[in-house]
Amino acid sequence: MILALPKKPGLDRIRSLAQDAPDSTEETIKTRKLTSLLAAGSLGWATFMAWNSIITIPSIGLLAAVAFLLIAIAAIVILGASKRWLWVAELVIMILSCAVLIGWAVASIYTNPQYGTDEAAFIQGASQLALQGHNPYTANLLPFLQLFRVPVQYATYLLNGGVSHSLAYPAGSFLVVEPFVWLTGGTQAAIVASLTSLITSIIIAFFLLPQKWRMLGVAAVAPASILFAFSLSGLSVMMSLPFLLIVAIRWADTIQSQVMSRWSYLQAVCLGIACAISQLSWFIAIFLLVGLFRAASIRGDARASITRIGKFFGIALATFVVLNAPWIKADPYAWLHGIFLPLIQQAIPYGQGFIDLPVYFHLGGGTISGFSILGDVVLLFCIVGYYIWFDRIPSAIWILPGVALWFPTRSLAEYFTVLAPLWVASVATESSSWKVSSVISSKNIRKRSLITVCAALPVLVLGGYVISRPPPIAVKLLHTESNGEFGGIWKLWLSVQNKSSTTLVHPRFSTDSSGHVSSYWFEVSGPNRLLPRQRSTFVIEAPNVGSMPGITQPFAIQIVSASPGTISESATITPEPYVTYISPNGINNVLRPNQGIWLQVQLRSPYGALVHKAGVRVALGQVIYGQSTLQLSDARINGAAFGQTPVFARTNRNGEAMFHVVAPKQSTPIYFQSWVSQKGSYPFGYSETLSVLWR
């Protein structure tokens, strides 16, 4: 008896909208097997992360354990499968991808329910306000940072000393979240909406990409932990991903026939929805317009295609306006201010792009506005370059926006990485029917190259100018004050000099120890203005615990001014160069009364390397953590009196200090901790706590 799998007329009908007839050649089958194995193998990390929740959420841990077995079985089936069973294996891997990501997400939210970005908090807050009949574009959204427990360093700070508090996204961003507010009761609604968009993108890639490449599309979305992290952060750009994915699949269909197809109508609507969710889609729309026009030009019917292209973008614009209409009508100024706020709010420079040169490498910083202008110039250059070289790089529509957005003052990683699935979808469905088949003449290439170089000259000149404007402020650390065992620096004394010829109004100070600046520190003393060449002393205090760098943690001091817009950063500062470790790090047996043991305290760098330094004064303290209060301990350390704490010793040339501890009969564990305790300095370098039980 031969097992017959059911036919899939519904799926075939859906798939036929976006792709050509399936290819069953041997080469295609081989490609499908390779991409399926790639997708299966790349699920390992996500599955392992989901398995880590086996104690907190056993069902998810069990799901992950079973998923490991199913991935292996699916891989075996792929190796020897016929065409029909290969489809089943691919379907299993796609479903496993969705299930594992859902499990990982549930576990992540359970262990860390706070929101990781102000964007997610503001979007969900806007959704809740809109559901209550309020206009989110006129509301102060700062209370939602507290409500959703956004860490202080993840707020958007402004050059003028303020904090971004208004909705800065089109209305589609919170409209997408509204159903999830209703479904979840407001708990993690923005996060769930973003994760649902990621799962939806996986399903779209599987069913709408050509059979030969659909598993490559799944692999580009599912195992990409960076996309999962962005989803878990509730970013609006992730909510636009499934709509952009549909736009990217066979994106040139609009100019392929004399009339717009149903697929082109769907793409136009999806483009409008994407633009109504995230401003990143606006940049994609610009390049898509250029790409469609150039594709029509290559086909030789540009004039006839203008009507179809205009209709396509007209539908997209109408969709965008319809989704935003209630708030345009309610307060057009507030709506316009909101959607263009990222361009005008003067947020502090931050990102993973060109702005890193002044922020971390002290190249430029004397003109923040120059970086914004440079971003505009690079955008124009990318448009010109794409137009000229379109026949060589037609699918660069989905890459060039990231190139242009690498240069402004806010060059966030999601602008580049979120679009990666679109690269795959575009190339996998790229049509060659409108391409020029003839070889381009060398004369034509020289002409294009000359135009490209000329277009690049303003970029090079302006880029050189902005990095040649040095940071105006030089800062030197004079003194620090810590909170000891708590392990943080809470007060700084700084020598600050304005090296520029411009008066800097109200410089503001923050610290940066992880790539995210802290809240602005309180200025205890120091002038409100720094005159040209003026040197002054500032005393600043941390406004909250989240802004305090660790005593042994490298950090930098960042200084910004709004008038004029500048940024300066100190060299990296490490207040203290080492920490202490107790060895052994665990006593896994009960000691007899009066049985002594040796504890070795080692000096180590913040990276864990041994520090060979003699004569460093090291302390070892003891305490009993009772059920309701701390209790005095009665162990003897290095022959001192029973219960004396702390006891001091100095390191030998290997950076090690020895402590002999012994205790009488004891019913509860005694806890030991070491630290560096140099005379005339604050304690630092606290070790982990070691428990020892005598009985």
Side-chain angles (χ1 to χ4, degrees):
M1 179 178 179
I2 299 177
L3 180 63
L5 295 175
K7 295 182 178 180
K8 316 179 291 299
L11 297 180
D12 287 341
R13 192 156 44 246
I14 294 173
R15 192 182 298 112
S16 66
L17 285 174
Q19 64 184 62
D20 297 325
D23 187 351
S24 60
T25 64
E26 182 179 347
E27 191 63 28
T28 298
I29 296 297
K30 183 177 181 180
T31 301
R32 287 177 61 185
K33 289 184 177 183
L34 288 173
T35 55
S36 297
L37 290 172
L38 173 65
S42 58
L43 273 179
W45 177 248
T47 308
F48 178 75
M49 294 303 294
W51 178 86
N52 282 334
S53 66
I54 196 165
I55 295 297
T56 54
I57 311 177
S59 57
I60 292 178
L62 178 61
L63 165 68
V66 172
F68 276 121
L69 177 61
L70 293 178
I71 290 171
I73 293 174
I76 295 172
V77 172
I78 289 168
L79 292 175
S82 62
K83 178 185 174 184
R84 180 61 60 89
W85 282 104
L86 179 57
W87 186 89
V88 174
E90 291 171 337
L91 181 63
V92 168
I93 293 171
M94 187 274 290
I95 294 173
L96 281 176
S97 300
C98 298
V100 165
L101 289 181
I102 291 172
W104 186 8
V106 171
S108 299
I109 293 172
Y110 181 86
T111 56
N112 187 23
Q114 67 183 13
Y115 283 21
T117 62
D118 60 345
E119 180 175 342
F122 284 178
I123 288 175
Q124 182 167 335
S127 297
Q128 295 177 189
L129 290 174
L131 288 171
Q132 296 167 6
H134 302 295
N135 186 348
Y137 287 103
T138 59
N140 182 347
L141 300 177
L142 279 181
F144 291 102
L145 296 183
Q146 179 66 30
L147 178 63
F148 299 117
R149 300 171 57 199
V150 178
V152 293
Q153 65 268 31
Y154 295 143
T156 300
Y157 296 97
L158 308 179
L159 292 175
N160 63 8
V163 182
S164 180
H165 61 274
S166 302
L167 184 64
Y169 311 97
S173 60
F174 60 84
L175 291 177
V176 170
V177 176
E178 284 185 2
F180 296 94
V181 172
W182 178 76
L183 287 171
T184 65
T187 302
Q188 303 288 340
I191 311 301
V192 174
S194 191
L195 289 164
T196 301
S197 299
L198 182 67
I199 300 300
T200 304
S201 299
I202 295 172
I203 297 172
I204 290 173
F206 181 81
F207 285 111
L208 295 186
L209 289 185
Q211 290 182 348
K212 185 177 181 179
W213 301 116
R214 62 185 173 198
M215 294 310 295
L216 186 59
V218 172
V221 180
S225 57
I226 186 67
L227 297 185
F228 176 82
F230 288 151
S231 297
L232 208 59
S233 297
L235 301 185
S236 61
V237 67
M238 288 303 303
M239 301 177 199
S240 66
L241 181 59
F243 301 101
L244 290 175
L245 199 57
I246 289 176
V247 177
I249 296 173
R250 298 188 65 84
W251 59 269
D253 267 10
T254 299
I255 54 91
Q256 296 285 60
S257 59
Q258 296 301 315
V259 294
M260 283 182 60
S261 65
R262 289 177 297 170
W263 180 250
S264 294
Y265 276 106
L266 176 62
Q267 287 178 308
V269 172
C270 286
L271 178 62
I273 295 173
C275 290
I277 294 175
S278 168
Q279 289 95 332
L280 178 61
S281 303
W282 301 359
F283 295 90
I284 292 174
I286 294 172
F287 287 96
L288 183 61
L289 174 61
V290 175
L292 289 175
F293 180 79
R294 285 291 285 125
S297 298
I298 289 176
R299 280 172 54 95
D301 60 350
R303 184 171 297 179
S305 298
I306 288 177
T307 301
R308 296 193 298 277
I309 296 173
K311 186 175 183 181
F312 180 92
F313 282 93
I315 294 171
L317 178 61
T319 304
F320 174 86
V321 171
V322 167
L323 292 175
N324 286 273
W327 294 275
I328 297 175
K329 180 180 179 181
D331 193 330
Y333 174 79
W335 175 79
L336 282 172
H337 179 269
I339 65 172
F340 288 107
L341 189 59
L343 303 177
I344 62 176
Q345 66 180 349
Q346 285 196 307
I348 58 171
Y350 168 73
Q352 295 74 45
F354 196 64
I355 195 63
D356 285 353
L357 291 181
V359 174
Y360 300 111
F361 301 98
H362 315 293
L363 292 173
T367 170
I368 290 178
S369 60
F371 286 86
S372 299
I373 298 172
L374 176 63
D376 297 335
V377 173
V378 172
L379 176 62
L380 291 174
F381 168 72
C382 289
I383 294 172
V384 171
Y386 181 58
Y387 184 90
I388 294 173
W389 296 99
F390 171 81
D391 52 343
R392 294 293 183 89
I393 51 170
S395 291
I397 289 171
W398 323 101
I399 303 175
L400 288 172
V403 174
L405 293 172
W406 190 79
F407 288 88
T409 55
R410 303 286 287 186
S411 52
L412 307 182
E414 59 261 32
Y415 300 157
F416 328 125
T417 54
V418 168
L419 302 182
L422 308 182
W423 309 349
V424 176
S426 177
V427 174
T429 59
E430 191 176 274
S431 173
S432 60
S433 62
W434 42 264
K435 290 187 177 180
V436 176
S437 58
S438 59
V439 178
I440 303 174
S441 67
S442 58
K443 181 179 179 181
N444 186 287
I445 291 179
R446 286 195 299 270
K447 181 180 178 181
R448 294 189 193 189
S449 300
L450 179 61
I451 296 174
T452 305
V453 169
C454 291
L457 286 177
V459 174
L460 298 175
V461 171
L462 184 56
Y465 171 74
V466 297
I467 65 174
S468 69
R469 295 287 302 276
I473 293 178
V475 58
K476 180 181 179 181
L477 177 66
L478 300 177
H479 180 62
T480 64
E481 189 164 328
S482 79
N483 37 40
E485 189 171 358
F486 192 70
I489 299 294
W490 73 274
K491 194 170 186 177
L492 298 171
W493 283 257
L494 306 173
S495 174
V496 175
Q497 181 183 15
N498 179 7
K499 300 186 300 179
S500 73
S501 58
T502 304
T503 298
L504 301 178
V505 179
H506 202 155
R508 293 175 173 85
F509 300 81
S510 58
T511 56
D512 185 352
S513 57
S514 62
H516 296 276
V517 295
S518 67
S519 308
Y520 288 123
W521 284 45
F522 299 135
E523 296 170 23
V524 178
S525 65
N528 189 51
R529 294 170 177 262
L530 277 177
L531 301 177
R533 313 302 175 187
Q534 179 183 356
R535 184 188 297 272
S536 185
T537 299
F538 283 81
V539 180
I540 59 175
E541 294 178 347
N544 46 59
V545 171
S547 298
M548 299 177 187
I551 293 176
T552 57
Q553 182 179 21
F555 71 94
I557 300 163
Q558 188 175 107
I559 308 174
V560 298
S561 65
S563 179
T566 68
I567 183 169
S568 307
E569 185 151 340
S570 72
T572 301
I573 301 166
T574 304
E576 301 297 345
Y578 36 74
V579 296
T580 63
Y581 281 54
I582 295 180
S583 180
N585 60 1
I587 307 298
N588 299 320
N589 57 292
V590 178
L591 302 181
R592 299 187 306 275
N594 297 314
Q595 179 183 355
I597 58 169
W598 284 96
L599 300 180
Q600 181 188 71
V601 176
Q602 302 172 333
L603 297 181
R604 291 183 178 251
S605 75
Y607 298 101
L610 290 170
V611 176
H612 300 283
K613 186 173 183 178
V616 177
R617 189 169 181 254
V618 175
L620 183 69
Q622 57 174 316
V623 71
I624 294 175
Y625 293 97
Q627 185 159 306
S628 59
T629 186
L630 294 177
Q631 303 171 18
L632 295 177
S633 175
D634 57 0
R636 170 177 282 180
I637 304 175
N638 281 359
F642 284 101
Q644 180 176 330
T645 185
V647 174
F648 303 96
R650 292 192 179 273
T651 59
N652 58 25
R653 63 181 182 180
N654 294 321
E656 300 167 345
M658 301 300 299
F659 293 90
H660 185 266
V661 297
V662 63
K665 184 177 181 180
Q666 184 70 42
S667 60
T668 56
I670 298 177
Y671 298 86
F672 297 91
Q673 189 176 34
S674 63
W675 62 91
V676 177
S677 182
Q678 299 280 56
K679 289 185 178 180
S681 179
Y682 49 77
F684 66 90
Y686 285 85
S687 70
E688 294 183 349
T689 302
L690 171 71
S691 66
V692 184
L693 183 62
W694 279 270
R695 182 173 297 157

